[in-house]
């Protein structure tokens, strides 16, 4: 029996339909905290897009269809890209349809742009559910970009509808800053990227739902390692992208950081809903930009305000050129997605501060809290 979840973000709409209710329930729980996601009656006929507009995403466990698309992609000329960390082969049919497979994950995709319909099939429920939620977000992203939004590489917290955006390269402390403020009374709007659009009333910010990676050290200093481990021990399922070594460490009660071969720390991975249920945060769907923060974590430094100026750069915006994790495989976004001069200028005019933080989360949180209060009352 078909089930369906409808997802709204501003005027963007995607309906996820499946024969497997676990898949639509996954989308409901993944997006419910940040976007408007509701269970709806599944359409009785699948002939194209949906009556209310938007896009349709069909997701099912279907080994036969999976094999058919794998064969088709193998027979066609195809390109190879890395999408969400997975090797992906993409073939484009002369009628405009796009087919793709992820061999290691046993997932296959078929996008019909004329109908606004994307199909996902796989061999097992969980990989299909993960892919369906990820691609539902991509369909929403495409619609929002066409509506004039852009994607910023920033975390974001909110108080009284006023958003504090935090920028910086990987490892600078974007996510850490947002999480520390979220544990001190701020609403969390995003941990890594947000949508933004310049409007007459200000710069409107929308959430980008995503899992959150939080290291053992930060969890422990926040007093949350024990409660998280307790939930895992009684069967709480973490996000499937979590490395098995992290799960093993949680079961064993180890707080020692774990590193992979490239020197990247492997961290517990939380579903969006778990940020509330396990970590006690309050999520926020949208706000208006009020201030900017530029942190830099330096292990042995005392937390302080930096006099070194920092301006927004190309790396602070995700475009077709700069996107590295979610390339636009299905051509969902407009060709030209570079931010307008007006948007960049309006962001640059907001109050801003550069901070040096360290690994002492209490001292860093205190500086962040004081700075945020000043910026959001300016």
């Amino acid at each position: 029996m078909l089930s369906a979840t409808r997802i709204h973000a501003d005027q963007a709409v995607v309906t996820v339909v499946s024969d497997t209710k676990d898949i639509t329930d996954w989308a409901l729980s993944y997006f419910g905290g940040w976007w408007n996601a509701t269970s709806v009656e599944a359409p009785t006929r699948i002939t194209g897009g949906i009556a209310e507009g938007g896009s349709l995403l069909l997701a099912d466990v279907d080994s036969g269809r999976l094999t058919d698309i794998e064969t088709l992609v193998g027979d066609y000329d195809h390109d190879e890209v890395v999408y969400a960390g997975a090797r992906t082969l993409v073939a484009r049919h002369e009628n405009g349809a796009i087919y793709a497979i992820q061999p290691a994950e046993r997932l296959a995709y078929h996008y019909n742009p004329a109908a606004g319909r994307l199909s996902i099939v796989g061999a097992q429920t969980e990989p299909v559910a993960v892919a369906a939620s990820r691609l539902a977000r991509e369909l929403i992203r495409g619609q929002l970009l066409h509506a004039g939004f852009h994607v910023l590489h920033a975390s974001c917290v909110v108080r009284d509808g006023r958003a504090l955006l935090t920028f910086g390269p990987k490892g600078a402390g974007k996510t850490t800053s947002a999480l520390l403020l979220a544990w001190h009374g701020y609403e969390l709007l995003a941990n890594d990227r947000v949508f933004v659009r310049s409007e007459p009333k200000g710069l409107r910010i929308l959430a980008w739902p995503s899992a959150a990676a939080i290291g053992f050290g930060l969890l422990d200093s926040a007093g949350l390692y024990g409660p998280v481990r307790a939930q895992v021990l009684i069967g709480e399922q973490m996000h499937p992208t979590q490395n098995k070594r992290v799960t093993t460490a949680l079961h064993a009660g180890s707080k020692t950081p774990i590193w992979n071969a490239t020197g990247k720390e492997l961290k517990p991975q939380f579903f969006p809903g778990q940020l509330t249920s396990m970590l006690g945060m309050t999520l926020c769907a949208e706000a208006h930009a009020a201030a900017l923060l530029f942190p830099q974590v330096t292990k042995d430094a005392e937390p302080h305000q930096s006099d070194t100026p920092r301006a927004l750069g190309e790396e602070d915006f995700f475009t077709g050129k700069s996107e590295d994790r979610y390339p636009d495989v299905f051509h969902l976004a407009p060709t030209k997605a570079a931010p307008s001069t007006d948007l960049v200028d309006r962001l640059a005019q907001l109050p801003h501060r550069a901070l040096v933080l360290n690994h002492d989360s209490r001292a860093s949180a205190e500086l962040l809290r004081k700075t945020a209060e000043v910026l959001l009352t300016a």
Side-chain angles (χ1 to χ4, degrees), residues 262-275:
T262 64
K264 179 182 178 181
E265 184 179 359
L266 303 176
K267 302 176 181 181
Q269 302 276 338
F270 296 86
F271 284 101
Q274 290 174 328
L275 299 175

Side-chain angles (χ1 to χ4, degrees), residues 8-12 34-36 140 143-145 147-152 154 156-158 161-165 167 189-190 193-208 284-292 317 340 342-344 346-347 350:
H8 290 260
D10 193 60
Q11 299 301 308
W34 264 312
W35 288 345
N36 180 13
I140 290 283
Q143 292 179 45
L144 289 177
L145 293 181
F149 282 90
H150 296 275
V151 182
L152 296 176
C156 181
V157 295
V158 176
R162 293 168 60 81
L164 175 63
L165 296 161
F167 295 88
L189 191 142
R193 58 179 78 189
V194 300
F195 293 99
V196 61
R197 184 171 68 185
S198 182
E199 299 181 350
K201 293 184 179 180
L203 297 173
R204 190 174 177 208
I205 307 295
L206 299 181
W208 169 285
C284 179
E286 66 174 279
H288 282 87
L292 313 181
F317 296 85
S340 67
D342 172 68
L343 173 60
V344 176
R346 293 182 74 175
L347 282 166
L350 294 174

Side-chain angles (χ1 to χ4, degrees), residues 50 100 119 192 353:
I50 55 177
S119 301
D192 185 63
R353 294 286 189 279

Side-chain angles (χ1 to χ4, degrees), residues 296 298 301-307 354-358 363-364 367 371:
Q296 178 58 58
T298 303
E302 286 294 321
H304 65 277
Q305 183 175 317
S306 173
D307 295 326
L355 300 180
V356 175
L357 309 176
N358 63 15
S364 293
L367 177 61
T371 304

Side-chain angles (χ1 to χ4, degrees), residues 141 145 149-154 170 174 192-194 208 313-326 337-339:
R141 175 171 73 160
L145 293 181
F149 282 90
H150 296 275
V151 182
L152 296 176
H153 189 195
K170 292 180 180 179
K174 290 190 305 298
D192 185 63
R193 58 179 78 189
V194 300
W208 169 285
E314 185 177 344
E315 69 277 6
D316 297 312
F317 296 85
F318 281 113
T319 66
K321 178 181 177 181
S322 61
E323 175 63 81
D324 58 351
R325 183 161 177 78
Y326 305 108

Side-chain angles (χ1 to χ4, degrees), residues 21-368:
K21 192 172 184 297
D22 283 349
I23 293 173
T24 55
D25 284 348
W26 184 295
L28 183 67
S29 63
Y30 195 93
F31 294 109
W34 264 312
W35 288 345
N36 180 13
T38 55
S39 294
V40 296
E41 184 176 348
T44 55
R45 297 178 62 193
I46 305 297
T47 57
I50 55 177
E52 292 82 0
S55 302
L56 183 65
L57 191 154
L58 309 177
D60 281 301
V61 177
D62 187 335
S63 296
R65 180 62 174 154
L66 170 64
T67 300
D68 288 344
I69 297 179
E70 287 176 329
T71 301
L72 185 151
V73 171
D75 289 343
Y76 274 72
D77 291 334
H78 56 261
D79 300 321
E80 182 172 329
V81 300
V82 176
Y83 178 84
R87 176 173 173 260
T88 305
L89 308 181
V90 184
R92 294 174 173 81
H93 194 276
E94 59 187 13
N95 66 6
I98 299 174
Y99 296 88
I101 59 172
Q102 293 178 310
E105 288 70 23
R106 296 302 313 281
L107 290 169
Y109 307 84
H110 170 211
Y111 180 55
N112 181 339
R117 184 177 67 204
L118 176 64
S119 301
I120 303 172
V121 292
Q124 297 180 338
T125 298
E126 185 176 277
V128 174
V130 173
S133 292
R134 183 177 291 132
L135 268 298
R137 186 178 62 196
E138 292 301 290
L139 287 163
I140 290 283
R141 175 171 73 160
Q143 292 179 45
L144 289 177
L145 293 181
H146 278 286
F149 282 90
H150 296 275
V151 182
L152 296 176
H153 189 195
S155 67
C156 181
V157 295
V158 176
R159 176 163 286 177
D160 298 327
R162 293 168 60 81
L164 175 63
L165 296 161
T166 303
F167 295 88
K170 292 180 180 179
K174 290 190 305 298
T175 298
T176 297
S177 296
L179 296 176
L180 288 173
L181 287 169
W183 283 319
H184 286 79
Y186 287 79
E187 298 171 284
L188 181 67
L189 191 142
N191 64 72
D192 185 63
R193 58 179 78 189
V194 300
F195 293 99
V196 61
R197 184 171 68 185
S198 182
E199 299 181 350
K201 293 184 179 180
L203 297 173
R204 190 174 177 208
I205 307 295
L206 299 181
W208 169 285
S210 67
I214 306 176
F216 288 149
L218 185 56
L219 285 174
D220 189 38
S221 65
L224 291 167
Y225 178 91
V228 168
R229 178 172 182 258
Q231 289 296 109
V232 171
L233 290 175
I234 63 173
E236 179 85 17
Q237 297 297 308
M238 304 295 283
H239 195 276
T241 56
Q242 178 171 290
N243 189 280
K244 293 181 180 179
R245 293 167 61 192
V246 174
T247 306
T248 299
L250 283 168
H251 278 276
S254 173
K255 302 175 184 177
T256 303
I258 302 171
W259 309 91
N260 66 13
T262 64
K264 179 182 178 181
E265 184 179 359
L266 303 176
K267 302 176 181 181
Q269 302 276 338
F270 296 86
F271 284 101
Q274 290 174 328
L275 299 175
T276 298
S277 64
M278 296 179 73
L279 303 181
M281 299 178 187
T282 301
L283 305 184
C284 179
E286 66 174 279
H288 282 87
L292 313 181
L293 196 63
F294 300 99
Q296 178 58 58
V297 175
T298 303
K299 180 179 179 181
D300 298 321
E302 286 294 321
H304 65 277
Q305 183 175 317
S306 173
D307 295 326
T308 303
R310 165 73 158 85
L312 292 173
E314 185 177 344
E315 69 277 6
D316 297 312
F317 296 85
F318 281 113
T319 66
K321 178 181 177 181
S322 61
E323 175 63 81
D324 58 351
R325 183 161 177 78
Y326 305 108
D328 191 15
V329 171
F330 299 105
H331 295 177
L332 302 173
T335 303
K336 295 181 179 179
S340 67
T341 301
D342 172 68
L343 173 60
V344 176
D345 288 345
R346 293 182 74 175
L347 282 166
Q349 291 168 10
L350 294 174
H352 56 275
R353 294 286 189 279
L355 300 180
V356 175
L357 309 176
N358 63 15
H359 290 179
D360 181 342
S361 62
R362 291 187 179 182
S364 293
E366 180 64 14
L367 177 61
L368 284 164

